[in-house]
């Protein structure tokens, strides 16, 4: 496993890291047994960075991750969770709510401190509130020892960049913007890095778009993007190749981020992804796939308040 320093946090994170959304059954039903096996397979392979959120599975993902990590020495994993998003349309970025939220997450995750607390999908809030109220409230929790570092997350790169220009958080998590068909994170990340923020690239499989099984029903991608990815999966299948494997190799090869968060539901997926990360990427085949996906290059979807897109 390779490791990189996550910006000014100084945390040494595995470049392939564990996304916890599937533990809340976001990608199909899962059991505690499966989740525990996936988490331990990841730890055994040297993955040390785990991300979750109260939103995932309406808190069930945090509870499952807490169970899976119980008994593992606390210095062997780096734990990130979020505040502010609690349901599809349920947001509360107030200082009081996010402060209480940290305590609730600590209880579910069965630990005394979080390495990283992140504002979840900040584009759903007013950026002036995020910068003047939410982030200062989280920053104040450092003194209590409950959180070590504070980050921001979201989909529209513009909103992340605007918020970051006022409050250069310790980390910035972007998703679905550094994968086979969308590489827009590469242009946004240098400004964040310049102010020593760690960069996290989430969803290299574009939340299932770039996989054989395809995306879940809730996926917000427009039809043209879904269709193009579906066709790319079929093309890979016909050649005896795995679109997910190639997509992950692309995301890791020249990543503009310090770590790439992949959602992993089972120990088998962890094994596939660890092997994919260790192998040399097939750059020729990847270029062919990118050509096929060119008509939907950098195609995304709106997220959050209109002024934040
Ligand atoms: P992803 O792109 O990582 O894809 C996850 C899907 O791919 C799941 O269905 C998983 O079972 C499947 N998968 C994983 N490995 C596979 C393989 N080898 N072959 C086939 N299928 C495979 O999407 P994600 O899980 O949504 O994103 C990664 C993580 O990043 C999340 O779990 C979460 O921790 C984080 N994230 C954060 C935000 C945010 O903060 N706003 C947004 C998106 C994601």
């Amino acid at each position: 496993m390779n490791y990189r320093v996550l910006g000014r946090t100084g945390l040494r994170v595995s470049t392939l890291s564990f996304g916890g959304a599937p533990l809340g059954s976001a990608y199909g039903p899962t059991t505690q047994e499966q989740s525990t096996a996936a988490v331990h397979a990841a730890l055994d392979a040297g993955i040390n960075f785990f991300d979750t959120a109260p939103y995932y599975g309406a808190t069930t993902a945090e509870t499952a991750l807490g169970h899976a990590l119980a008994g593992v020495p606390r210095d062997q994993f780096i734990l990130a969770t979020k505040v502010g998003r609690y349901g599809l349309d349920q947001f509360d970025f107030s200082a009081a709510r996010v402060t209480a939220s940290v305590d609730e997450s600590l209880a579910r995750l069965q630990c005394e401190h979080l390495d990283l607390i992140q504002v979840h999908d900040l584009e759903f809030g007013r950026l002036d509130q995020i910068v003047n109220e939410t982030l200062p409230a989280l920053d104040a929790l450092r003194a209590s020892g409950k959180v070590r570092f504070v980050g921001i997350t979201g989909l529209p790169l513009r909103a992340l960049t605007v918020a970051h220009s006022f409050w250069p958080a310790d980390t910035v998590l972007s998703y679905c913007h550094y994968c086979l068909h969308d590489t827009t994170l590469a242009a946004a990340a240098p400004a964040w890095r310049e102010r020593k923020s760690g960069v996290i690239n989430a969803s290299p499989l574009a939340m299932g778009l770039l996989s054989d099984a395809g995306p879940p029903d809730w996926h917000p991608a427009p039809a043209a993007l879904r269709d193009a990815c579906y066709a790319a999966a079929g093309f890979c299948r016909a050649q005896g190749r795995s679109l997910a494997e190639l997509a992950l190799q692309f995301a890791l090869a020249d990543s503009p981020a310090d770590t790439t968060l992949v959602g992993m539901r089972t120990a088998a997926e962890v094994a596939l992804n660890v092997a994919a990360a260790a192998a040399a990427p097939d750059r020729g085949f990847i270029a062919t796939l990118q050509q096929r996906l060119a008509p939907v290059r950098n195609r995304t979807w709106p997220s959050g308040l209109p002024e934040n897109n």
Side-chain angles (χ1 to χ4, degrees):
M1 184 58 59
N2 294 317
Y3 298 86
R4 260 169 89 159
V5 174
L6 186 61
R8 80 167 79 88
T9 71
L11 297 168
R12 193 170 156 272
V13 291
S14 49
T15 51
L16 172 66
S17 49
F18 191 97
L23 272 52
S25 297
Y27 291 96
T30 192
T31 63
Q32 183 63 52
E33 204 180 9
Q34 277 178 317
S35 299
T36 300
V39 167
H40 282 265
L43 287 166
D44 291 348
I47 292 174
N48 70 353
F49 182 57
F50 294 79
D51 174 75
T52 184
Y55 172 49
Y56 302 151
T59 73
T60 59
E62 280 193 338
T63 302
L65 185 58
H67 277 300
L69 290 170
V72 178
R74 186 64 186 84
D75 61 357
Q76 287 181 21
F77 57 90
I78 295 165
L79 191 52
T81 189
K82 311 190 187 85
V83 293
R85 182 166 203 173
Y86 302 100
L88 191 58
D89 296 313
Q90 242 182 300
F91 297 88
D92 189 341
F93 296 103
S94 67
R97 183 69 192 98
V98 300
T99 302
S101 189
V102 166
D103 287 327
E104 293 162 14
S105 290
L106 285 171
R108 285 189 290 266
L109 289 162
Q110 303 183 34
C111 61
E112 315 256 288
H113 76 273
L114 303 166
D115 297 289
L116 179 63
I117 189 71
Q118 304 161 101
V119 179
H120 200 168
D121 292 338
L122 55 63
E123 70 270 21
F124 286 88
R126 290 185 347 260
L127 296 190
D128 66 305
Q129 184 190 25
I130 304 291
V131 166
N132 296 315
E133 179 178 344
T134 318
L135 285 163
L138 296 175
D139 198 48
L141 290 176
R142 288 180 207 251
S144 66
K146 289 178 186 174
V147 307
R148 295 178 66 196
F149 300 103
V150 177
I152 53 176
T153 83
L155 181 75
L157 292 166
R158 201 185 73 84
L160 288 170
T161 295
V162 170
H164 185 268
S165 70
F166 289 101
W167 185 288
D170 296 322
T171 60
V172 184
L173 182 157
S174 149
Y175 69 99
C176 292
H177 287 312
Y178 196 76
C179 45
L180 277 173
H181 64 277
D182 183 336
T183 56
T184 47
L185 173 62
W192 308 338
R193 278 192 184 292
E194 208 167 290
R195 296 180 78 181
K196 311 281 180 245
S197 300
V199 179
I200 302 168
N201 174 35
S203 313
L205 310 185
M207 305 193 301
L209 278 179
L210 299 169
S211 76
D212 223 27
D217 293 343
W218 52 259
H219 202 294
L225 180 52
R226 276 171 181 268
D227 292 349
C229 293
Y230 182 77
F235 175 73
C236 289
R237 235 181 350 260
Q239 317 274 321
R241 307 295 300 265
S242 153
L243 177 58
E245 180 187 355
L246 290 150
L248 182 59
Q249 288 183 335
F250 168 77
L252 289 169
D254 306 301
S255 179
D258 300 311
T259 187
T260 297
L261 269 175
V262 192
M264 297 187 261
R265 197 160 67 99
T266 61
E269 279 181 358
V270 174
L272 281 173
N273 294 340
V274 168
D282 184 341
R283 289 184 187 269
F285 201 88
I286 285 170
T288 304
L289 277 177
Q290 285 189 295
Q291 249 164 23
R292 289 182 161 258
L293 290 166
V296 290
R297 182 155 177 75
N298 297 340
R299 187 77 63 91
T300 183
W301 51 88
S303 174
L305 306 183
E307 67 263 31
N308 290 336
N309 279 265

